[in-house]
């Protein structure tokens, strides 16, 4: 904990602003076009008049690759801020902000660049969730870009008919069966149409440059490739792209992806319909239904169920964000199909029933672990795709339900896990016993990425993107340079036994699998204060929750709150934690009955890779990335403060 950190949290007064300066509305586009009139237009037909110049990036003397700027975990300044896991993506966002783009513009451009430099976690072949604070309306919006199941899928699609049991997880992942209809591109298009000031083609320019010229391979990229090398070798286009010379690219070498550069160029010209009903969609479907496996490979790569009709039917969806009040702050999150907002929100409501003191972090962490345990029990029982199942979201986030659940927490004794879910039925009594039995934690890949962006107008984007596992399904679309997701393995693969409680997360036609992604925005008196998110599969929820606990209750500043050692309790018998957490708190928490074990990963011993920002005072924003985890992240601002 930072000894000089503020406690309680201090909040700047409401800032004055002029609506006439807010970007992203048609009346402002003419002015922006005038500013950009002298810039170099995009190559090729079909681009809009607002084309910005390509980013000017240095070229290292050793070769033509685009040089990465140095990483820094914290940056404080004015004019806009960004934090991502990757310096190329952060620089892309900052350049967009410098040239007059807003937070949505910068978030999309950074995400496209991550598709080049972080291809195993972010790509056109995946999906994600965006929360966005619009300074003009002073409202938070939530955009669901989660992948959907093909219409031919049913609750037994992952069950082996020969055994009656779910397919082994590794076989389900590396298959066409695991590939959901990609949502990223539709999400970009919808976000830009509503809030953006630049066209997609303009925002793809920086990513095209990095894909063509290449980037310098770091240890993280090498390690992720090496972890996937065995299955990548069996998929011909994946091997050709990611295993040049038959092995993972060495650290310090240059990696280029000309196929993805061409795909982005064509996308800039043709637009999203090229995927959702056009030629690119046909190529995706062909890859899913007939995986391009090496004939010599012995791996059983099952075909998928996706059709062109599924792509044509896909829609990204605006949803009402979740909202809870915590210690005088309004915490907004992602609603179902993600379980992030509901589970973070329920846990905060439970924690709000207790007085937590920065002078007693062990007590606060005990309550954090117990609140997480209860909220995860309710997540597993009740949360799924709201378009397919009835999610009692209002009751899950009600104070009455939180009080009923909080009453079960003992101050000095951890409950044996898994605990049973509660009954969010609107009829609440003190210390009502739980009903049913606890559900085992389903598998959810920890490989995702998160970014946050703030612009000079006060707009904020908190955006989590994924293809699920490192390397997704392992299937690269031939000649297109991107991997397809394995998001459908986020469904519960085995239907419950007869007579058991229903599972809201079973596969189904057109259904979105439940996610834990938790892009979160915190307001005070209607003004932005914090934005945070992280990768990590089902640990995303606890990481976001712990960062909020650290910042709001334990008095840490945001860099300390984000860097602090982590533990995750997801209604499992063990509390999985990082070694530094075990070293610092293990003995004291064990005395309360918590069983701490090292988080198995991957990567082992590391939970999440968060990114966040805080508005310190009007106009002054601090962007924060990981200092160490997964090689550290990259925080940047437009104009650094002195």
């Amino acid at each position: 904990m930072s000894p000089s950190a503020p406690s309680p949290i201090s909040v700047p007064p409401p800032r004055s602003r002029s609506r006439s300066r807010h970007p992203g509305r048609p009346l402002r586009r003419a002015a922006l076009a005038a500013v950009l009139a002298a810039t170099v237009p995009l190559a090729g037909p079909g681009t809009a008049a607002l084309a910005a110049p390509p980013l000017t990036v240095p070229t290292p003397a050793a070769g033509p690759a685009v040089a990465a700027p140095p990483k820094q975990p914290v940056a404080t300044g004015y004019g806009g801020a960004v934090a991502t896991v990757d310096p190329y993506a952060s620089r892309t966002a900052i350049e967009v902000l410098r040239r007059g783009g807003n937070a949505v513009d910068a978030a999309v451009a950074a995400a496209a660049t991550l598709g080049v430099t972080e291809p195993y976690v972010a790509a056109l072949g995946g999906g994600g969730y965006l929360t966005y604070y619009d300074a003009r309306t002073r409202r938070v919006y939530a955009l669901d870009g989660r992948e959907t199941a093909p219409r031919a899928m049913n609750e037994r699609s992952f069950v082996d008919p020969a055994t009656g049991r779910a397919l082994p997880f590794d076989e389900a992942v590396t298959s066409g069966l695991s590939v959901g209809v990609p949502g990223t591109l539709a999400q970009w298009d919808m976000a830009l149409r509503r809030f953006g000031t630049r066209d997609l083609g303009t925002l793809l320019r920086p990513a095209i440059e990095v894909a063509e010229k290449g980037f310098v391979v770091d240890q993280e990229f090498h390690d992720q490739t090496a972890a996937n090398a065995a299955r990548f070798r069996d998929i011909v286009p994946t091997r050709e792209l990611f295993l040049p010379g038959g092995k993972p690219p060495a650290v310090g070498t240059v990696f280029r992806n000309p196929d993805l550069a061409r795909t982005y160029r064509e996308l800039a010209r043709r637009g999203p319909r090229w995927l959702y009903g056009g030629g690119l969609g046909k190529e995706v479907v062909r890859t899913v239904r007939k995986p391009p496996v090496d004939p010599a490979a012995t791996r059983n790569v099952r075909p998928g169920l996706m059709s062109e009709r599924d792509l044509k039917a896909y829609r990204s969806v605006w949803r009402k964000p979740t909202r809870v009040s915590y210690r005088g702050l309004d915490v907004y999150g992602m609603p179902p199909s993600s379980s992030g907002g509901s589970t973070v929100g329920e846990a905060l409501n439970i924690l709000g029933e207790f007085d937590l003191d920065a002078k007693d972090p062990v007590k606060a962490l005990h309550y954090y672990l117990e609140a997480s345990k209860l909220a995860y029990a309710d997540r597993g029982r009740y949360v799924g795709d709201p378009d397919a199942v009835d999610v009692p979201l209002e009751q899950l986030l009600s104070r009455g339900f939180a009080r009923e659940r909080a009453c079960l927490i003992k101050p000095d004794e951890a409950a044996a896990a898994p605990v049973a879910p509660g009954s969010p039925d609107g009829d609440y009594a003190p210390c009502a016993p739980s009903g049913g039995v606890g559900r085992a934690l389903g598998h959810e890949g920890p490989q995702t990425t998160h970014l946050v962006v703030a612009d000079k107008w006060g707009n904020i984007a908190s955006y989590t993107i994924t293809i699920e596992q490192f390397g997704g399904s392992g299937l690269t679309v031939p000649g297109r340079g991107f991997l397809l997701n394995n998001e459908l393995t986020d469904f519960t693969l085995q239907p419950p036994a007869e007579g058991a409680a229903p599972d809201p997360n079973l596969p189904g036609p057109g259904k979105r699998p439940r996610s834990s992604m938790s892009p979160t925005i915190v307001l005070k008196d209607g003004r932005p204060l914090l934005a945070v998110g992280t990768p990590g599969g089902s640990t995303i929820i606890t990481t976001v929750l712990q960062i909020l606990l650290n910042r709001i209750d334990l008095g840490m500043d945001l860099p300390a709150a984000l860097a602090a050692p982590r533990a995750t309790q997801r209604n499992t018998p063990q509390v999985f934690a990082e070694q530094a957490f075990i070293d610092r708190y293990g003995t004291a928490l064990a005395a309360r009955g918590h069983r701490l074990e090292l988080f198995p990963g991957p990567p082992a011993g590391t939970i999440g890779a968060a990114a966040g920002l805080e508005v310190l005072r009007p106009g002054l924003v601090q962007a924060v990335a990981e200092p160490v985890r997964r090689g550290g992240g990259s925080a940047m601002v437009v104009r650094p403060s002195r």
Side-chain angles (χ1 to χ4, degrees):
M1 181 173 73
S2 171
S4 60
S7 179
I9 201 164
S10 59
V11 182
R15 52 199 298 191
S16 62
R17 65 191 67 216
S18 169
R19 291 194 179 205
S20 66
R21 298 186 62 209
H22 179 75
R25 299 293 181 267
L27 292 178
R28 282 63 174 179
R29 292 179 182 261
L32 181 57
V35 172
L36 299 174
T39 64
V40 181
L42 279 172
T47 57
L50 296 183
L55 301 187
T56 303
V57 288
T59 300
V66 177
K71 284 184 179 181
Q72 58 180 7
V74 180
T76 306
Y78 302 89
V82 61
T84 80
V85 298
D86 177 72
Y88 293 95
S90 293
R91 178 168 56 191
T92 291
I94 286 296
E95 288 297 331
V96 170
L97 295 174
R98 281 179 179 148
R99 297 175 187 224
N102 68 10
V104 157
D105 299 328
V108 169
T113 301
L114 287 169
V116 180
T117 59
E118 297 277 324
Y120 307 138
V121 297
L124 289 177
Y129 295 96
L130 170 72
T131 53
Y132 185 69
Y133 175 81
D134 178 52
R136 186 182 69 88
T137 61
R138 293 177 58 181
R139 289 179 57 192
V140 177
Y141 298 83
L143 183 54
D144 183 337
R146 184 64 156 166
E147 302 88 338
T148 56
R151 296 187 183 193
M153 180 158 277
N154 60 59
E155 66 179 29
R156 299 189 66 82
S157 290
F158 286 98
V159 174
D160 186 342
T163 65
R165 303 296 301 169
L167 298 173
F169 186 74
D170 60 338
E171 292 184 25
V173 167
T174 309
S175 73
L177 198 60
S178 71
V179 182
V181 178
T184 293
L185 184 53
Q187 187 178 40
W188 291 352
D189 181 60
M190 187 168 284
L192 291 172
R193 286 178 183 274
R194 184 158 188 176
F195 293 112
T197 69
R198 298 191 180 188
D199 64 280
L200 179 61
T202 298
L203 300 173
L204 291 174
R205 292 280 318 237
I208 292 170
E209 184 174 20
V210 177
E212 284 185 327
K213 293 185 176 181
F215 62 91
V216 180
V217 172
D218 61 10
Q219 190 66 51
E220 186 74 7
F221 184 86
H222 170 83
D223 291 349
Q224 290 178 15
T225 310
N228 280 286
R231 67 182 185 132
F232 280 7
R233 287 192 183 98
D234 290 343
I235 313 297
V236 175
T238 308
R239 179 179 67 211
E240 292 174 347
L241 177 58
F242 295 114
L243 297 174
K247 58 185 179 181
V251 175
T253 60
V254 175
F255 186 86
R256 297 180 178 86
N257 193 339
D259 287 347
L260 183 56
R262 286 191 294 270
T263 300
Y264 276 166
R265 273 209 182 88
E266 191 76 0
L267 181 58
R269 187 174 73 86
R270 294 178 178 268
R273 289 186 181 180
W274 186 40
L275 174 61
Y276 302 106
L280 182 59
K282 294 180 188 295
E283 295 176 42
V284 168
V285 169
R286 188 182 310 124
T287 304
V288 170
R289 297 185 75 94
K290 191 175 180 180
V293 182
D294 187 331
T298 58
R299 186 184 302 272
N300 182 13
V301 182
R302 291 171 173 82
L305 303 172
M306 190 187 301
S307 70
E308 292 176 43
R309 183 186 176 197
D310 294 318
L311 282 162
K312 290 178 182 178
Y314 183 84
R315 299 291 184 273
S316 190
V317 183
W318 290 106
R319 301 192 190 275
K320 182 181 178 180
T322 61
R323 173 187 166 274
V324 298
S325 179
Y326 186 69
R327 317 291 190 202
L329 304 172
D330 291 317
V331 182
Y332 289 85
M334 197 70 215
S337 57
S338 178
S339 64
S342 65
T343 312
V344 169
E346 181 187 343
L348 287 174
N349 282 342
I350 293 171
L351 288 172
E353 295 297 309
F354 303 99
D355 293 326
L356 306 181
D357 190 341
K359 296 178 182 178
D360 192 352
V362 172
K363 174 185 175 183
L365 290 168
H366 167 71
Y367 281 107
Y368 152 69
L369 296 172
E370 293 300 279
S372 299
K373 189 183 296 179
L374 294 166
Y376 268 83
D378 299 326
R379 166 191 181 268
R381 172 63 183 85
Y382 298 111
V383 181
D385 181 354
D387 298 328
V389 297
D390 184 15
V391 180
L393 184 60
E394 182 178 352
Q395 293 303 320
L396 287 171
L397 294 176
S398 69
R399 299 310 295 260
F401 185 58
R403 285 191 291 270
E404 190 173 86
R405 299 298 272 159
C407 194
L408 301 175
I409 298 178
K410 298 179 180 179
D412 298 310
E413 182 182 346
V419 299
S423 298
D425 54 10
D427 183 15
Y428 304 121
C431 293
S434 300
V437 296
R439 194 185 299 273
L441 181 68
H443 184 91
E444 195 173 339
Q447 297 82 10
T448 304
T449 192
H450 184 80
L451 62 92
V452 288
V453 183
D455 64 31
K456 63 183 178 182
W457 295 277
N459 305 301
I460 291 179
S462 186
Y463 188 20
T464 313
I465 326 155
T466 185
I467 60 171
E468 220 274 349
Q469 295 284 114
F470 280 139
S473 64
L475 304 180
T476 298
V477 182
R480 292 302 175 192
F482 65 90
L483 287 152
L484 295 173
N485 69 83
N486 67 288
E487 294 295 352
L488 302 188
T489 56
D490 278 351
F491 282 124
T492 304
L493 305 187
Q494 179 75 45
E498 186 175 351
D503 189 321
N505 192 42
L506 292 174
K511 192 175 178 182
R512 287 172 161 87
R514 182 175 59 212
S515 170
S516 295
M517 287 182 268
S518 306
T520 301
I521 294 177
V522 181
L523 307 185
K524 176 65 175 182
D525 298 328
R527 306 295 186 184
L529 179 65
L530 301 167
V532 67
T534 183
S538 59
T539 70
I540 290 174
I541 292 165
T542 53
T543 295
V544 168
L545 183 61
Q546 191 175 358
I547 291 171
L548 294 176
L549 176 81
N550 290 343
R551 178 69 189 94
I552 299 168
D553 290 297
L554 298 185
M556 302 182 193
D557 61 18
L558 187 59
L562 197 141
R566 294 173 186 150
T568 179
Q569 171 50 273
R570 294 162 290 165
N571 201 22
T572 59
Q574 315 93 326
V575 174
F576 290 107
E578 296 176 334
Q579 188 60 52
F581 186 96
I582 296 172
D583 293 344
R584 187 177 303 181
Y585 304 113
T587 300
L589 288 172
R592 286 172 162 82
H594 297 283
R595 196 174 99 204
L596 275 68
E597 295 183 13
L598 186 67
F599 181 68
T606 299
I607 300 176
L613 60 82
E614 179 169 351
V615 180
L616 299 177
R617 62 173 184 264
L620 182 64
V621 179
Q622 184 176 68
V624 183
E626 292 284 2
V628 177
R629 293 180 183 94
R630 298 196 187 180
S634 172
M636 296 184 183
V637 292
V638 173
R639 297 192 310 277
S641 61
R642 294 184 181 274

